[in-house]
């Protein structure tokens, strides 16, 4: 049977334009759209964290219930954001993840390049600040009020190393084993668990840490505590990548 002519293909609803082969990598979303997705996603994430913290403190004086409410809202919100924006930008919402991807790409793996790194990180940081301001606005709090929550203790800094290392290990471990389709549930679940098992309640995100300095509420962090937290998160990202390299070591073929 001969293939239909172009006009006939149009008439019966077959798209005559060239189609990608099954399994081919689709064209990448424009960088401007990815930057917008990272801005909106990080802003929404911080608005969820800060807003649910404010709501929780207004509803109960029990700190355990406040943390439960805060962590539950974050788990559901983060999962939804990854599902929605993951196909656009990869849903990093986190400079530590973006830096780890950039490092992986430099080593010959998949990831963002230097230009994308230079766009993603500012988008995430500005988005985090905007999210904190938005949450304060929704609850009638001062739009910008520096947090007074000191988080400079050494055990909290260790918690940030652990929280960030675990997050990087999870994300890049899923990538190494071709199971990134589970990322929305897995990443959100990990963050929810890390709220409870780490001493720092798992910020694990430099942009979110900076954004949370702008609100003097349950989820805030004093500006003086931010540099050490960010430094520990970068160290945690390096530890996470090292663990990925060891645990998910690629085997050699007989020919290799």
């Amino acid at each position: 049977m001969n293939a239909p002519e172009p006009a006939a293909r149009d008439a019966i609803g077959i798209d005559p334009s060239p189609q990608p082969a099954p399994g081919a990598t689709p064209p990448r979303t424009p960088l401007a759209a990815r930057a917008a997705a990272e801005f909106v996603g990080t802003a929404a994430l911080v608005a969820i964290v800060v807003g649910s913290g404010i709501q929780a403190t207004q509803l109960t004086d029990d700190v355990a219930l406040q943390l439960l409410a805060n962590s539950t809202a974050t788990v559901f919100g983060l999962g939804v954001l990854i599902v929605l924006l993951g196909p656009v930008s990869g849903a990093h919402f986190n400079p530590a993840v973006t830096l780890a991807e950039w490092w992986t790409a430099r080593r010959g793996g998949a990831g963002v390049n230097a230009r994308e790194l230079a766009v993603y990180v500012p988008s995430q940081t500005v988005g985090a600040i905007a999210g904190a301001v938005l949450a304060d606005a929704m609850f009638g709090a001062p739009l910008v009020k520096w947090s007074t929550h000191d988080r400079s203790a050494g055990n909290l800094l260790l918690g940030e190393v652990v929280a960030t290392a675990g997050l990087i290990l999870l994300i890049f471990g899923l990538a190494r084993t071709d199971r990134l389709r589970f990322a929305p549930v897995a990443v959100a679940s990990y963050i929810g668990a890390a709220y409870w098992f780490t001493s720092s309640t798992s910020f694990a995100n430099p942009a979110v840490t900076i954004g949370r300095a702008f609100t003097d509420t349950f989820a805030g962090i004093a500006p003086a505590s931010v540099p050490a937290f960010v430094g520990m998160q970068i160290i945690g990202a390096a530890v996470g990548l090292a663990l990925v390299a060891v645990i998910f070591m690629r085997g050699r073929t007989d020919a290799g």
Side-chain angles (χ1 to χ4, degrees):
M1 179 177 179
N2 294 330
E5 293 297 324
R9 290 201 300 267
D10 289 343
I12 60 177
I14 300 177
D15 185 358
S17 60
Q19 298 297 312
T25 302
R28 299 196 73 178
T29 306
L31 184 55
R34 283 181 276 150
E38 287 297 302
F39 172 86
V40 171
T42 313
L45 175 60
V46 174
I48 290 166
V49 172
V50 174
S52 62
I54 297 173
Q55 184 80 282
T57 56
Q58 291 180 351
L59 294 175
T60 179
D61 293 327
D62 188 319
V63 178
L65 287 178
Q66 292 171 357
L67 186 61
L68 178 62
N70 194 210
S71 61
T72 301
T74 302
V75 166
F76 286 120
L78 179 58
V80 168
L81 290 172
I82 295 173
V83 169
L84 176 63
L85 299 175
V88 180
S89 67
H92 295 189
F93 315 145
N94 187 337
V97 174
T98 304
L99 281 167
E101 266 212 10
W102 169 76
W103 178 257
T104 301
R106 288 183 72 249
R107 305 284 291 181
V112 298
N113 57 35
R115 177 168 174 260
E116 292 165 329
L117 174 70
V119 171
Y120 269 45
V121 173
S123 299
Q124 294 157 352
T125 304
V126 175
I129 296 169
V133 172
L134 175 61
D136 283 340
M138 287 192 292
F139 286 91
L143 297 186
V144 175
K145 184 178 181 181
W146 298 117
S147 176
T148 56
H149 289 242
D150 178 74
R151 300 178 190 263
S152 59
N155 63 301
L156 302 183
L157 299 179
L158 176 60
E160 279 304 288
V161 174
V162 172
T164 311
L167 178 63
I168 297 299
L169 174 61
L170 171 62
I171 293 171
F172 288 83
L174 290 175
R176 282 284 182 96
T177 55
D178 194 27
R179 293 184 296 170
L180 276 175
R181 61 189 178 279
F182 299 118
V185 172
V187 172
S189 298
Y190 172 79
I191 292 298
Y195 256 87
W196 290 91
F197 80 78
T198 64
S199 56
S200 63
T201 65
S202 183
F203 286 47
N205 185 326
V208 168
T209 303
I210 293 170
R212 288 168 68 166
F214 283 73
T215 176
D216 191 23
T217 58
F218 177 80
I221 176 173
S225 301
V226 168
F229 255 54
V230 171
M232 294 303 104
Q233 290 157 359
I234 300 303
I235 292 173
V239 171
L241 284 178
L243 290 173
V244 171
V246 172
I247 296 172
F248 300 98
M249 189 181 302
R250 300 189 186 281
R252 293 185 177 184
T253 64
D254 291 341

